[in-house]
Amino acid sequence: MATERELSDFLKGVEKRAFKRSVYHVRDAEAALDIVQDSMMKLAEHYGDKPAAELPMLFQRILSNSTLDWFRRQKTRNALFSNLSDFESASDDGDFDLLENFAGAADTQQVESAEDATRRAQILREIETEIMELPARQREAFLMRYWEEMDVAETAAAMGCSEGSVKTHCSRAVQALGKALKAKGITL
């Protein structure tokens, strides 16, 4: 059984990464924040009595389901109110900045030149743009495997698919990202 402190520490530890992951999926910072908050509440309400070791997988599954629910609601809303969509602004309002949330090594004494900082910022924006262009399942698998550092089995369980599908989605995502970045002259 997870203690209240363990649950709180877990949620504090995953909130930023979960938010970034949700922003990549839904491409709307406000909706992403709602999704993450709802997922955290569901975990605390329904699974707070589970062992602390089970919390990461439960949270990832809840977050994935909440994201899918959001897409379903959007599809329904758009079908019902499609004639009102002409009055909506674009969902990408530019408020989310990956660089604001990028945490470099805090204990290094090196000072980055303005040119290097600008170059790094441009590369990060290009990478972010290309990740957002991936198909939804590829993006989800890629982010879980390489951003959340989940293994193949955990990713498959969270996505509700086979391990082979996870490997296929990740491989295709890496190939697409590599090709797109290479075309822009970016080598990592």
Side-chain angles (χ1 to χ4, degrees):
M1 305 287 176
T3 65
E4 195 172 310
R5 179 73 176 164
E6 288 174 324
L7 180 61
S8 177
D9 289 344
F10 169 74
L11 292 174
K12 285 179 185 174
V14 298
E15 68 182 337
K16 288 182 182 178
R17 290 184 5 207
F19 174 72
K20 288 180 186 179
R21 176 180 158 200
S22 294
V23 168
Y24 283 133
H25 283 295
V26 300
R27 299 178 182 153
D28 180 352
E30 291 177 12
L33 185 60
D34 288 343
I35 290 168
V36 171
Q37 288 175 343
D38 287 344
S39 298
M40 289 179 164
M41 291 298 294
K42 287 177 185 175
L43 180 73
E45 289 173 5
H46 302 290
Y47 302 102
D49 60 339
K50 296 289 183 182
E54 292 181 19
L55 295 179
M57 278 303 295
L58 288 168
F59 181 72
Q60 293 302 327
R61 190 63 178 174
I62 292 169
L63 186 61
S64 293
N65 287 340
S66 294
T67 303
L68 289 174
D69 290 344
W70 182 85
F71 278 113
R72 288 183 189 116
R73 284 191 303 272
Q74 289 300 108
K75 184 177 179 181
T76 302
R77 185 187 66 82
N78 290 340
L80 292 173
F81 301 108
S82 62
N83 59 341
L84 298 176
S85 65
D86 295 336
F87 300 106
E88 295 177 357
S89 63
S91 63
D92 185 15
D93 57 4
D95 284 344
F96 178 74
D97 184 8
L98 181 64
L99 297 176
E100 283 181 8
N101 299 308
F102 179 74
D107 55 12
T108 61
Q109 297 297 322
Q110 296 177 331
V111 177
E112 187 176 36
S113 72
E115 180 182 355
D116 289 341
T118 301
R119 186 177 314 118
R120 182 173 53 85
Q122 289 171 340
I123 290 171
L124 286 173
R125 271 195 297 275
E126 292 296 331
I127 291 170
E128 180 185 30
T129 300
E130 293 304 326
I131 289 172
M132 290 174 62
E133 293 298 321
L134 290 172
R137 294 294 280 179
Q138 287 181 19
R139 184 173 53 245
E140 183 177 18
F142 178 83
L143 291 172
M144 284 184 182
R145 289 281 292 126
Y146 303 113
W147 182 270
E148 298 291 334
E149 297 178 355
M150 297 169 69
D151 65 26
V152 174
E154 291 173 329
T155 304
M159 291 178 64
C161 64
S162 70
E163 291 182 20
S165 293
V166 169
K167 291 176 185 178
T168 300
H169 290 311
C170 284
S171 174
R172 289 179 180 165
V174 168
Q175 287 176 356
L177 287 172
K179 184 178 177 181
L181 295 174
K182 186 177 180 181
K184 292 181 178 188
I186 299 172
T187 56
L188 303 175

